[in-house]
Amino acid sequence: MARQFAAADPMAKICTSEFAPGPDVRTDAELRDFIRHDLATLYHPVGSCAMGGDSRLAASRLTSVVDPELRVRGVTGLRVVDASVMPAVPRGNTNAPVIAIAERAADLIAGRAPLAAADPEQAPALVR
């Protein structure tokens, strides 16, 4: 269907050739083979191991792979500490959120209490 769309006016004036998978890939089997071997994501992959605070009362309806402490449900001693626990792709680069997740995981593993919430109004004024 995408090929038919690109070949129809007015798109045909803009799309003069097919970038991928190319004119030699025609059958469904060839398209499946192309997808299996050549397809890649353009975005930073996130969200494949959803983190959530599912209730113990709703144990039969668990929807997340890891709990709020990044522990894999049903597997003792295993945590997921990467972008896969993010619920969605952040608007910016994934580097800073992953660092924050890793810092939090380090605190959890070491048994350190989370930092207390800070009130911006109580923060010292910046000297200029």
Side-chain angles (χ1 to χ4, degrees), residues 14-125:
I14 300 168
C15 300
T16 58
S17 65
E18 184 176 312
F19 176 72
D24 295 336
V25 176
R26 303 307 297 169
T27 67
D28 287 348
E30 290 169 336
L31 286 170
R32 277 192 297 276
D33 187 55
F34 170 79
I35 290 168
R36 286 186 181 118
H37 295 100
D38 296 302
L39 202 63
T41 180
L42 175 64
Y43 300 104
H44 299 290
V46 306
S48 59
C49 291
M51 176 177 54
D54 297 314
S55 166
R56 282 189 221 153
L57 299 174
S60 64
R61 298 179 315 186
L62 292 178
T63 58
S64 60
V65 175
V66 298
D67 68 14
E69 294 189 4
L70 305 171
R71 296 175 298 209
V72 176
R73 295 183 188 280
V75 181
T76 304
L78 180 63
R79 294 182 196 253
V80 176
V81 184
D82 62 19
S84 64
V85 300
M86 295 180 195
V89 179
R91 289 183 181 253
N93 193 290
T94 57
N95 186 44
V98 169
I99 290 170
I101 291 167
E103 291 285 345
R104 176 69 176 132
D107 287 343
L108 291 166
I109 292 166
R112 293 189 291 261
L115 296 174
D119 182 355
E121 297 296 323
Q122 302 297 322

